[in-house]
Amino acid sequence: MVRAAVLPAVGAPLEITDIALPEPGPGQVRIRLAAAGVCHSDLSLTDGTMRVPVPAVLGHEGAGTVVSVGEGVTRVAPGAGAVLNWAPSCGQCHHCLLGEVWLCASALSGVGAVHARTADGTPLHPGLNVAAFAEETVVAANCVLPAPDGIPLTDAALLGCAVLTGYGAVHHSARVREGETVVVFGIGGVGLAVLQSARIAGASTVVAVDVSPEKEELARAAGATDYLVASATTAKDVRRLTGGHGADVAVECVGRAVTIRTAWESTRRGGRTTVVGIGGKDQQVTFNALELFHWGRTLSGCVYGNCDPARDLPVIAEHVRAGRFDLGALVTERITLDGIPAAFDTMVAGRGGRALIVF
């Protein structure tokens, strides 16, 4: 039995309880978690914005130590450090063959499996494949990435979602070039990773935008040159800070229609907007045909930072070891499993960066 955070039903409160976790079967790996990040996607599972089978063990951003492996597993061995990959690619579907592994058709094929059981025998599913909100988890071997050398596992947990997403949004989706101007909407864990990545890319002006004035210090420490509290004049304010033209690139990390529209309006003619935030079906964004022609802007979605984790994790790890990327700067609160509901409340209130569960 291990302690875990279980979502019994959509809209129901999380239950921190003991679950019966089986030993790894063929092709599976058992991992003892060192840490797990509390991501907005986990919140989106609780309210039904994203749907997976329930009841489920949540959590998808984590790192830990391999405890045991099932038959046929050779890529990792007991005692090795591991970063969880919640969206593994199959390598065989249409998108994988195109090199777009972040769009793999089978990435979430494991969410319907029986992961564990409650004390009364109720089957539990693995949230977003890896069920990281638990002292230990059992995952498919392709959900395991080698932990980078020289990075503590508690810090490495953040690599599995926030950092890959933020880094990829800048370097793969928006493709920020040296000297360009960037505006980032939503300064949570992913937004802070975007700011650091924009700085690494050599952006000249980096404007952070959030509803909370209290996040300015966090944003500037992550690389923001300017900070705006979101308002009806945000797009005009961004143009003022970028020579009157608007930013070359906007990265939206909120997932709300009004924020996406404002991000698009904040870019220059010919600018690029990347949407990282996951919004609900009710969030409708509208444009008229004339403005699309006149402005010549690009609006694109971004899944998992358009990253190939196996390729990008070593690159990011080198930035971390060289001191260019500060993983600890994303974390504003370290909690236990029991602190997850309060971390969700903090997230809804728009406060703080990443909450990190430390086991």
Side-chain angles (χ1 to χ4, degrees):
M1 303 291 284
V2 299
R3 281 178 61 76
V6 173
L7 177 67
V10 172
L14 280 185
E15 297 177 356
I16 313 301
T17 186
D18 289 334
I19 64 170
L21 187 69
E23 290 303 312
Q28 293 184 320
V29 179
R30 185 172 182 130
I31 292 174
R32 180 179 301 114
L33 273 297
V38 181
C39 178
H40 200 280
S41 296
D42 299 307
L43 182 62
S44 294
L45 294 177
T46 70
D47 64 17
T49 299
M50 297 172 61
R51 289 194 173 273
V52 294
V54 290
V57 180
L58 298 188
H60 64 280
E61 179 184 86
T65 303
V66 176
V67 176
S68 57
V69 301
E71 181 183 350
V73 175
T74 58
R75 62 189 297 170
V76 291
V83 174
L84 296 177
N85 175 14
W86 63 271
S89 56
C90 69
Q92 300 175 344
C93 71
H94 178 71
H95 288 290
C96 284
L97 293 176
L98 289 174
E100 299 170 345
V101 298
W102 54 92
L103 299 178
C104 176
S106 301
L108 294 180
S109 61
V111 299
V114 175
H115 171 73
R117 295 183 183 274
T118 62
D120 65 6
T122 301
L124 298 170
H125 302 288
L128 290 178
N129 277 329
V130 296
F133 286 175
E135 294 169 331
E136 295 188 11
T137 188
V138 173
V139 301
N142 64 351
C143 289
V144 178
L145 297 166
D149 293 336
I151 300 176
L153 287 175
T154 48
D155 290 342
L158 300 164
L159 296 171
C161 184
V163 176
L164 275 169
T165 300
Y167 178 88
V170 168
H171 291 270
H172 301 320
S173 180
R175 298 181 181 180
V176 175
R177 299 181 288 266
E178 186 171 359
E180 287 193 313
T181 56
V182 178
V183 56
V184 182
F185 289 80
I187 311 303
V190 173
L192 289 168
V194 171
L195 290 173
Q196 292 204 48
S197 300
R199 181 186 62 199
I200 290 171
S204 59
T205 299
V206 182
V207 184
V209 181
D210 198 276
V211 295
S212 171
E214 286 77 23
K215 290 188 180 181
E216 180 171 0
E217 184 177 348
L218 274 175
R220 289 188 181 276
T225 58
D226 300 275
Y227 189 84
L228 297 173
V229 177
S231 71
T233 64
T234 295
K236 184 183 296 184
D237 295 336
V238 172
R239 286 194 293 273
R240 174 177 53 81
L241 293 169
T242 53
H245 305 290
D248 296 301
V249 169
V251 182
E252 199 272 0
C253 304
V254 181
R256 294 182 63 235
V258 65
T259 316
I260 294 169
R261 176 73 205 200
T262 303
W264 188 80
E265 292 177 354
S266 297
T267 61
R268 63 171 174 82
R269 197 175 187 189
R272 314 185 299 279
T273 297
T274 286
V275 179
V276 176
I278 301 172
K281 293 179 180 179
D282 60 325
Q283 296 294 314
Q284 299 292 317
V285 189
T286 60
F287 307 91
N288 68 59
L290 181 60
E291 65 179 329
L292 290 174
F293 162 77
H294 172 76
W295 288 102
R297 293 163 170 155
T298 300
L299 177 68
S300 61
C302 178
V303 178
Y304 207 0
N306 293 8
C307 274
D308 178 347
R311 175 198 65 199
D312 292 313
L313 198 62
V315 175
I316 297 170
E318 185 54 38
H319 285 305
V320 174
R321 287 190 290 264
R324 292 185 291 268
F325 200 111
D326 183 1
L327 294 173
L330 274 62
V331 180
T332 53
E333 187 178 17
R334 295 176 186 267
I335 61 174
T336 64
L337 278 173
D338 296 293
I340 298 175
F344 280 164
D345 291 340
T346 298
M347 193 181 298
V348 171
R351 300 193 303 269
R354 208 40 141 215
L356 187 69
I357 305 160
V358 180
F359 295 93

